[in-house]
Amino acid sequence: TIRAELQGSDNMTNVPSIEKLEWKLTPDLKKAIQIAGDELMRKYRQLSMLFAEVRGFGKADLVRYKVRFDSFFQLAIQLAYFRLHGKTGITHEGCATTQFKYGRTETIRSASIE
């Protein structure tokens, strides 16, 4: 058991104890995990990537236009997917709310029809 305290204000906030989870896996569940791992490796081995260098446009341009790199890259991936499949893929963008009390990372569905 680990005990921790948050610091940063006049008030000290106690954090609940952290306890290690002990998983009890049945033989069927272990087999299902193995099958899922095997399937993941099969798909991984089929993965191929092609890289292209784009000249005349780069980080300085993104800074000048006040566009964040991750936003630009997300849009590039969405555009490539659309051109390949003729429809938008289900995508999301992380949003950190940690600056707020009890904040955490949330998900924004940025390009989904739903």
Side-chain angles (χ1 to χ4, degrees):
T1 302
I2 301 170
R3 198 80 189 139
E5 289 185 348
L6 298 176
Q7 298 180 4
S9 68
D10 293 337
N11 300 340
M12 297 297 287
T13 305
N14 288 330
V15 175
S17 296
I18 301 168
E19 296 181 29
K20 182 179 177 181
L21 296 176
E22 297 290 337
W23 299 95
K24 295 179 183 176
L25 303 177
T26 65
D28 287 343
L29 190 52
K30 287 180 183 180
K31 183 177 179 180
I33 291 170
Q34 180 64 48
I35 290 169
D38 293 345
E39 178 67 11
L40 176 65
M41 287 307 296
R42 185 185 70 74
K43 289 183 178 188
Y44 170 77
R45 288 186 198 101
Q46 293 175 347
L47 181 66
S48 66
M49 290 189 201
L50 176 65
F51 297 89
E53 182 179 351
V54 177
R55 296 175 188 246
F57 184 83
K59 181 180 178 182
D61 298 296
L62 297 177
V63 170
R64 183 176 52 220
Y65 296 119
K66 298 179 183 176
V67 176
R68 292 184 46 151
F69 174 77
D70 57 337
S71 299
F72 177 81
F73 195 71
Q74 181 69 244
L75 287 171
I77 291 171
Q78 290 176 25
L79 178 59
Y81 186 93
F82 183 81
R83 287 186 175 172
L84 282 170
H85 302 285
K87 62 181 181 177
T88 58
I90 297 174
T91 61
H92 73 276
E93 185 72 27
C95 172
T97 59
T98 53
Q99 67 271 27
F100 301 105
K101 188 173 182 177
Y102 307 120
R104 59 186 188 272
T105 301
E106 298 291 343
T107 298
I108 300 171
R109 300 282 173 198
S110 54
S112 300
I113 293 172
E114 297 84 13

